[in-house]
Amino acid sequence: MLKRRGIWIVALLLLVGAGIIVMKKKTSDAGAAGAKQAAVTVAAQVLEFLPSDIVTVGSGDVRKLLTLSGALRAYNQGQVKARVAGEVREVLVREGESVQLGQVLVKMDTTDYDARLAQAQGSLAAANGQLEIARQARDNNKILLDKAFISQNSYDNAKNQYAIALANVDSAKGAVAVAQKALADTVIRAPIAGLISSRSVQPGEKVSPDFRLLEVVDLRIMEMEAPVPTQDIASIQIAQAVQLKIEGVANTVSGKVSRINPGTTLGSRSIMAYIQITNTDGVLRSGMFGEAQIVVEQKSGVLTIPQTAVRNEDGKNFVYVIENNSLQLKPVSLGLSGDSAGVASVEVLAGLKQGAQLVKTNLGSLRAGIAVKLISPTSAGKV
């Protein structure tokens, strides 16, 4: 009996010990969970930002820009057309070739015009012969008139015949000049120096006067024709500086307003402005599309912030500022909006000081007073 009672006592003690161990483990697990929850709560109360999310208020220039667009064309260009009818014998240039002023471009068949010139020259020779006969008759009749051998009427007839012969000579000279010009027009020369941009004739073709043969463009000076809305035309002036971004050209191109059309374009409420560009390196080509930016208003040395940092609610502007490692909501008074060093920016009139740090992008509604922590990009990627 005593032995059995001892066994039961030992078993009871073991059960009590096991219960104590289980209770301690539950208490330890509950404490760890509570600590973890507290840590999560503390972490949730800290707003983390990357350096790229923050911008520092500084001074700079703000420019209000008027953006225009249009296609480029050569300021100087020439249409090469046939001046006389005939058959084309030679076309000496092709598209893309460089030509000089007065260079021979096209030659036409001259057979017909050679014959016309020879005919005109023969008529002139005959007229000169008739003039000489009339001159001698006039002079002889003058001598006879002085000796009273003929009447005044006879002398006047000889004198009139001389005048008619002289007029015939002048007419024949004009015919020769016309024939010479027609012959010269069979050789077609470049009206300007530049590049051949189009060719629409081949040897052997018969062309009529004013038939378009070639087109020559001078790319040293380019021009953009850009429509300007009527409400913005007062912002543009002759010789105003322009910055252009041309498709296919990496660098920004400088130009100036050269002309402004005095009337609106038919069918629209826009006025054409012409922007001239010096193409010294020959990069620009006719037909390229570009975007022009004209500075219509500028302020220098003012406080600027990105437009993305500004929020507007109920007609009031405000920004999120980081002060003493916490997020604060600051109302601001804004001025000129535009471009600052290639960034869409706005002038700050009141509400911020230089050097203040604020949230750069619109992240939605944030809770003012929350703690802020700046983290590095490398630590942001760690789990």
Side-chain angles (χ1 to χ4, degrees):
M1 256 332 255
L2 293 174
K3 185 176 181 181
R4 185 178 297 176
R5 182 180 297 176
I7 293 172
W8 281 105
I9 292 172
V10 172
L12 182 60
L13 291 174
L14 291 174
L15 287 173
V16 171
I20 293 171
I21 292 173
V22 170
M23 291 298 292
K24 287 183 177 180
K25 184 176 181 183
K26 288 183 177 181
T27 303
S28 176
D29 291 344
K36 184 176 181 180
Q37 183 64 32
V40 170
T41 302
V42 172
Q45 294 177 350
V46 177
L47 193 60
E48 296 180 342
F49 288 105
L50 292 170
S52 58
D53 297 327
I54 306 301
V55 64
T56 302
V57 179
S59 61
D61 300 340
V62 180
R63 304 178 302 166
K64 183 180 178 181
L65 302 176
L66 175 62
T67 301
L68 307 173
S69 60
L72 298 183
R73 66 182 183 185
Y75 181 74
N76 293 318
Q77 50 189 335
Q79 299 286 340
V80 181
K81 296 182 178 181
R83 296 181 179 179
V84 294
E87 180 182 340
V88 176
R89 285 294 181 87
E90 293 181 83
V91 183
L92 304 176
V93 292
R94 293 187 177 274
E95 295 89 338
E97 291 186 6
S98 175
V99 297
Q100 301 299 320
L101 174 64
Q103 179 179 333
V104 176
L105 306 179
V106 179
K107 292 182 178 180
M108 301 176 65
D109 182 22
T110 63
T111 304
D112 184 47
Y113 297 100
D114 287 333
R116 292 183 185 183
L117 178 59
Q119 183 180 19
Q121 289 173 338
S123 298
L124 175 60
N128 281 323
Q130 293 295 329
L131 177 63
E132 181 61 24
I133 294 173
R135 185 186 65 77
Q136 290 179 0
R138 183 202 61 179
D139 293 345
N140 291 335
N141 286 342
K142 180 67 170 63
I143 295 172
L144 294 174
L145 177 65
D146 293 341
K147 294 180 178 181
F149 290 157
I150 61 173
S151 65
Q152 181 68 39
N153 186 46
S154 297
Y155 172 73
D156 290 341
N157 287 335
K159 183 178 179 181
N160 291 336
Q161 289 299 322
Y162 174 79
I164 292 172
L166 183 62
N168 288 336
V169 169
D170 291 338
S171 177
K173 287 181 179 179
V176 170
V178 171
Q180 288 176 334
K181 183 180 184 305
L183 179 61
D185 286 343
T186 60
V187 178
I188 301 170
R189 302 177 181 273
I192 62 172
L195 300 173
I196 301 296
S197 63
S198 68
R199 166 177 161 170
S200 54
V201 67
Q202 300 297 333
E205 292 187 38
K206 290 185 177 181
V207 297
S208 59
D210 290 332
F211 182 87
R212 178 180 170 184
L213 306 174
L214 303 163
E215 183 175 3
V216 184
V217 295
D218 183 0
L219 299 181
R220 291 176 295 180
I221 300 178
M222 304 296 291
E223 187 176 66
M224 174 189 284
E225 184 181 60
V228 183
T230 52
Q231 63 268 23
D232 295 323
I233 196 64
S235 303
I236 300 180
Q237 299 176 355
I238 301 297
Q240 196 168 9
V242 183
Q243 296 295 316
L244 300 99
K245 296 178 181 178
I246 310 298
E247 288 186 353
V249 179
N251 298 327
T252 302
V253 181
S254 299
K256 65 178 180 179
V257 178
S258 60
R259 295 174 289 134
I260 300 176
N261 200 297
T264 58
T265 304
L266 184 64
S268 69
R269 296 181 57 84
S270 61
I271 298 175
M272 286 298 176
Y274 303 90
I275 300 169
Q276 193 173 106
I277 309 152
T278 302
N279 186 27
T280 53
D281 52 4
V283 175
L284 306 180
R285 293 288 187 271
S286 294
M288 282 185 167
F289 188 82
E291 184 180 87
Q293 293 183 334
I294 302 176
V295 179
V296 297
E297 187 177 354
Q298 181 172 348
K299 288 186 177 181
S300 302
V302 296
L303 292 183
T304 63
I305 60 174
Q307 293 184 8
T308 55
V310 181
R311 299 204 60 192
N312 183 282
E313 290 184 5
D314 299 329
K316 297 181 179 179
N317 298 310
F318 63 88
V319 294
Y320 287 109
V321 180
I322 299 175
E323 292 182 350
N324 300 322
N325 296 325
S326 65
L327 194 67
Q328 303 295 331
L329 191 64
K330 291 278 188 179
V332 290
S333 176
L334 304 178
L336 179 65
S337 297
D339 176 87
S340 179
V343 178
S345 304
V346 61
E347 174 193 8
V348 179
L349 300 176
L352 292 175
K353 294 182 179 180
Q354 186 168 351
Q357 290 185 320
L358 59 147
V359 180
K360 182 179 181 180
T361 55
N362 189 345
L363 300 178
S365 297
L366 303 176
R367 184 161 59 88
I370 191 172
V372 173
K373 179 181 179 182
L374 294 180
I375 60 174
S376 64
T378 53
S379 62
K382 295 180 180 179
V383 181

